[in-house]
Amino acid sequence: MSSVSTGSTSAAEGLAPAAAPRRRARGLAHGLVDDLGEKIRNQQLRPGDKLPTESAIMQAYGVSRTVVREALSKLQAGGLVETRHGIGTFVLPPRAAGMFRLEASDLATSVDVLAVLELRISLETESAGLAAGRRTEAQLAALREALDDFERNVAEAGDTVAPDFRFHMQIAQATGNPYFADIMSHLGTNIIPRTRIPAIRNHDPRGEYLSRVNREHEEIYAAIARRDPESARAAMRIHLTNSRERLRLAQEAAQREASTPPAEDGASAAA
């Protein structure tokens, strides 16, 4: 049983961030989401573990209850934890590996898509924060329209790539800095992983993947709507990090499969 599952003082000590300066520089909620998310991905917090109480996290990180609740809501939006009312918050099993399966022919493309996602995490995280502080009501309405088009096309099995890209482009435009939009325009719809890797769109017959993407978009939109730059950055980082993690796990599975020699005839009989 993990030592972080009790919410005790020792659990709070185990959650202490690696470096306080990093937390100060990047913002409290953002830093907390980043740190807890990394612990979950690195299996320091394992599936089924109960997170320490809000008070224990506040003590470990030196932050307010508002910051803790904001961070936990973003972790939930990213599918990393689940809060059960009256019981606590628990780490969820990783869902990325079963989302889609890469074929060997997709591996070269997936490497490039991962590189683009790394660029997008750096670029669009800051873009979302700037947009939250600078957007106009007209730009917010354009974001809402893109999300509504995305949701409708998920339900109708229509084109979701165009409204997906439009949503991200509108955020870049809402920064008020034309260079963000210029970079996004240059990259084009190829930044959307499912445009380049067929397995992503072909392994989602019930629209579960796209529904999850839509929920992540809604978290970004909500933070921009309430002019909350730190939450907008956190929500965008979670959205793009989730995409990267899903692809990375599928890539690792494909590489393992490609490197495993086929069983020789009669091997199972000899076992």
Side-chain angles (χ1 to χ4, degrees):
M1 185 68 175
S2 171
S3 62
V4 299
S5 62
T6 63
S8 63
T9 301
S10 60
E13 292 171 352
L15 278 179
R22 171 175 174 271
R23 191 178 77 244
R24 289 195 296 270
R26 301 182 67 181
L28 296 174
H30 186 185
L32 183 52
V33 168
D34 234 16
D35 205 64
L36 289 176
E38 194 66 22
K39 284 179 167 62
I40 291 170
R41 283 184 285 274
N42 290 341
Q43 296 285 296
Q44 291 173 257
L45 294 169
R46 298 178 180 278
D49 280 348
K50 181 180 178 181
L51 294 188
T53 63
E54 289 182 359
S55 296
I57 298 175
M58 288 164 59
Q59 178 183 353
Y61 285 86
V63 296
S64 69
R65 191 176 302 276
T66 298
V67 169
V68 172
R69 289 179 175 175
E70 187 72 40
L72 292 179
S73 73
K74 301 310 174 190
L75 290 170
Q76 288 182 71
L80 297 179
V81 302
E82 176 184 60
T83 297
R84 302 170 193 167
H85 184 66
I87 301 176
T89 299
F90 297 83
V91 178
L92 290 173
R95 299 182 297 182
M99 185 57 64
F100 55 87
R101 175 180 173 178
L102 292 180
E103 300 297 333
S105 59
D106 292 325
L107 279 173
T109 301
S110 72
V111 171
D112 189 55
V113 173
L114 277 174
V116 172
L117 282 168
E118 286 184 356
L119 171 65
R120 291 182 65 195
I121 289 170
S122 299
L123 176 72
E124 294 193 65
T125 295
E126 185 59 24
S127 177
L130 292 174
R134 300 175 179 175
R135 58 86 179 165
T136 64
E137 289 302 317
Q139 288 166 334
L140 186 65
L143 286 172
R144 183 70 264 166
E145 182 180 354
L147 284 184
D148 290 344
D149 287 347
F150 185 99
E151 185 174 12
R152 182 174 61 254
N153 287 351
V154 169
E156 298 174 357
D159 172 35
T160 57
V161 170
D164 193 337
F165 179 72
R166 195 164 84 244
F167 176 73
H168 287 272
M169 175 61 86
Q170 291 285 352
I171 291 174
Q173 291 173 343
T175 65
N177 182 331
Y179 292 106
F180 281 96
D182 285 349
I183 294 173
M184 293 292 289
S185 180
H186 174 73
L187 293 172
T189 57
N190 278 341
I191 67 169
I192 310 298
R194 61 187 180 279
T195 64
R196 301 179 61 194
I197 301 179
I200 298 178
R201 60 179 180 269
N202 295 340
H203 203 277
D204 190 36
R206 293 184 294 178
E208 294 175 358
Y209 172 90
L210 292 175
S211 294
R212 186 172 303 157
V213 168
N214 190 50
R215 289 195 297 272
E216 293 169 0
H217 283 167
E218 290 286 355
E219 287 291 324
I220 298 165
Y221 171 84
I224 292 174
R226 65 178 182 266
R227 299 188 185 276
D228 185 343
E230 287 305 316
S231 294
R233 290 186 181 98
M236 180 65 81
R237 176 173 286 273
I238 285 174
H239 170 49
L240 296 176
T241 299
N242 282 348
S243 294
R244 182 185 63 181
E245 192 70 3
R246 285 187 282 260
L247 181 56
R248 185 186 65 78
L249 291 175
Q251 184 187 72
E252 289 179 355
Q255 288 171 333
R256 285 196 301 271
E257 189 171 303
S259 64
T260 302
E264 296 182 4
D265 291 343
S268 60

